[in-house]
């Protein structure tokens, strides 16, 4: 996501961006975080750092998903408070919502804590939910404009394309390229039936800048019961099945061999349809145009093929 921000906004002279990678600073270490933030002295922070992975990594690495994320979030928000940073936009995920709610209704900001998350990613989900609690505490005790956005499944160039640990789109792009090269069928994990809303990382980059500039959790326009939380998503009508995603990827890669669905592997949540009406209300009449998924996938496949040597995989 940080690389997408750099691609979309890094050249804008309006702000001086500092992009921090894990090589620059170990955010799980409080002293290192304080030292680094002291040097950079930011006015505002877009907090995207996290231990993340797809369904299968979340199931396998629960301690890391919980502990690393809690430690990073504790340090980043605490240090921002100590240095008087006026705005922090932190990133959550739709996979952290109550599992029961996702089955029966569209999820919205007010439902975030109303029940346990899905067991496959509960470690990650509880750590991220605490980031929302912590941001709210800073707003209430100190009046800081610390807010959280909740994007749906993100994809795009610079993603992690690891075959086992990545999210569905980058994992399948990588698998599909290999299957094409080797002349073998593409094996997809699960039934292909689950539904997801995907957001292109370059669209989300623009929306993060908009959030930084315009989303104010202390304003009355933000609403009751869901203050400081904002879902950033395409419309519910744009939700598509994993099977459709696979077809689009195969088309973008130029893969025309067989596709096998391995139903012995997990499907995860069936759906987690996000209601984006709060975003639409606040964004207003200018209306944001999301990149159609086939277009975004074409660009992502092209990026992966061109950057195969250096891509994270
Ligand atoms: P989720 O939205 O949090 O569940 O995260 P993912 O991006 O990992 O998407 C998981 C969905 O994609 C599940 O329904 C999986 O069964 C399906 N899927 C199919 N193939 C793959 C794959 O190679 N990797 C991943 N992560 N998921 C896959």
């Amino acid at each position: 996501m940080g690389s997408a921000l750099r691609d979309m906004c890094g050249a804008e002279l309006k702000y001086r961006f500092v992009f921090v990678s894990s090589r620059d600073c170990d955010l799980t270490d409080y002293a290192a975080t304080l030292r680094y933030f002291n040097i950079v002295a930011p006015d505002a922070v877009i907090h995207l750092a996290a231990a993340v992975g797809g369904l299968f990594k979340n199931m396998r690495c629960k301690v890391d998903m919980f502990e690393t994320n809690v430690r990073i979030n504790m340090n980043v928000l605490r240090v921002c408070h100590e240095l008087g940073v006026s705005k922090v936009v932190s990133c959550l995920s739709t996979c952290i919502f109550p599992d029961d709610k996702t089955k029966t209704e569209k999820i919205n900001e007010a439902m975030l804590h109303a029940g346990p998350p899905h067991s496959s990613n509960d470690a990650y989900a509880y750590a991220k939910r605490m980031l929302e609690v912590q941001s709210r505490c800073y707003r209430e005790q100190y009046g800081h404009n610390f807010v959280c956005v909740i994007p749906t499944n993100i994809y795009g160039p610079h993603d992690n394309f690891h075959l086992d640990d990545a999210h569905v789109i980058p994992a399948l792009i990588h698998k599909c390229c290999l299957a094409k090269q080797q002349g073998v069928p593409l094996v997809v994990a699960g039934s292909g039936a689950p539904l997801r809303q995907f957001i292109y990382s370059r669209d989300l980059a623009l929306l993060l800048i908009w959030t930084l500039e315009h989303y104010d959790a202390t304003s009355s326009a933000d609403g009751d019961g869901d203050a400081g939380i904002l879902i950033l998503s395409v419309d519910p009508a744009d939700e598509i099945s994993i099977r459709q995603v696979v077809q689009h990827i195969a088309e973008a890669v130029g893969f025309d061999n067989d596709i096998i669905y391995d139903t012995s592997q997990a499907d995860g949540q069936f759906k987690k349809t996000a209601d984006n009406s709060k975003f639409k209300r606040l964004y207003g009449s200018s209306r944001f145009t999301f990149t159609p998924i086939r277009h975004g996938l074409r660009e992502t496949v092209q990026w992966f093929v061109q950057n195969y040597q250096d891509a994270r995989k």
Side-chain angles (χ1 to χ4, degrees):
M1 239 349 278
S3 300
L5 260 174
R6 191 200 298 267
D7 286 350
M8 300 305 286
C9 316
E12 257 193 51
L13 296 176
K14 194 165 164 195
Y15 305 108
R16 190 168 70 84
F17 286 90
V18 177
F19 293 92
V20 186
S21 92
S22 49
R23 285 181 299 278
D24 302 314
C25 174
D26 176 5
L27 296 172
T28 64
D29 177 337
Y30 169 77
T33 308
L34 183 60
R35 221 172 20 248
Y36 191 84
F37 275 55
N38 237 323
I39 296 167
V40 173
D43 301 307
V45 169
I46 298 179
H47 171 30
L48 303 170
V52 295
L55 170 65
F56 300 102
K57 184 175 178 191
N58 267 294
M59 287 164 50
R60 218 179 45 246
C61 309
K62 292 207 171 183
V63 173
D64 187 40
M65 297 314 251
F66 185 78
E67 290 190 356
T68 306
N69 283 311
V70 166
R71 286 163 71 196
I72 289 175
N73 299 336
M74 282 292 156
N75 293 336
V76 169
L77 262 58
R78 164 118 226 122
V79 162
C80 284
H81 162 66
E82 286 171 354
L83 298 183
V85 176
S86 60
K87 178 124 184 209
V88 178
V89 178
S90 297
C91 202
L92 311 179
S93 158
T94 47
C95 70
I96 73 173
F97 275 90
D99 186 42
D100 269 3
K101 301 274 185 212
T102 65
K103 290 183 182 143
T104 52
E105 51 199 312
K106 283 187 230 157
I107 49 180
N108 64 43
E109 288 83 355
M111 294 174 183
L112 184 58
H113 299 282
H118 192 264
S119 61
S120 61
N121 63 4
D122 50 0
Y124 176 80
Y126 279 118
K128 283 287 187 180
R129 286 190 192 186
M130 288 309 104
L131 177 53
E132 189 282 317
V133 172
Q134 195 185 352
S135 303
R136 184 167 11 119
C137 291
Y138 275 111
R139 285 199 307 275
E140 289 178 6
Q141 190 171 339
Y142 297 105
H144 298 341
N145 197 7
F146 288 6
V147 301
C148 294
V149 294
I150 309 187
T152 42
N153 292 47
I154 309 167
Y155 73 99
H158 306 281
D159 209 338
N160 181 348
F161 292 78
H162 193 279
L163 293 170
D164 301 319
D165 290 349
H167 287 101
V168 56
I169 286 183
L172 285 180
I173 288 177
H174 193 174
K175 286 177 188 173
C176 194
C177 288
L178 291 179
K180 182 183 171 189
Q181 202 180 50
Q182 295 161 4
V184 297
L186 168 65
V187 180
V188 177
S191 67
L195 303 170
R196 297 287 184 269
Q197 284 153 293
F198 292 97
I199 184 165
Y200 192 37
S201 56
R202 290 174 172 174
D203 291 349
L204 185 56
L206 298 177
L207 293 180
L208 285 172
I209 296 296
W210 173 82
T211 305
L212 188 70
E213 292 180 330
H214 300 291
Y215 180 53
D216 182 0
T218 57
S219 132
S220 57
D222 196 30
D224 279 339
D226 62 357
I229 314 173
L230 185 61
I231 290 175
L232 297 176
S233 170
V234 300
D235 286 340
D238 293 325
E239 186 173 59
I240 64 170
S241 70
I242 300 296
R243 194 174 281 267
Q244 285 169 294
V245 172
V246 171
Q247 278 157 8
H248 292 328
I249 290 175
E251 182 187 293
V253 170
F255 174 82
D256 52 13
N257 207 331
D258 293 341
I259 297 171
I260 297 166
Y261 288 87
D262 177 2
T263 51
S264 69
Q265 294 192 59
D267 265 346
Q269 284 174 286
F270 178 66
K271 67 182 182 73
K272 39 186 176 168
T273 317
D275 179 351
N276 64 355
S277 38
K278 179 173 176 181
F279 162 66
K280 281 172 67 175
R281 176 170 61 78
L282 294 175
Y283 195 81
S285 53
S286 53
R287 299 194 45 185
F288 187 81
T289 307
F290 288 94
T291 305
I293 185 151
R294 286 174 73 189
H295 180 91
L297 282 175
R298 265 202 309 276
E299 284 190 0
T300 309
V301 167
Q302 204 174 34
W303 182 91
F304 180 63
V305 171
Q306 282 169 358
N307 295 276
Y308 186 78
Q309 288 308 326
D310 299 326
R312 286 185 295 156
K313 53 187 189 299

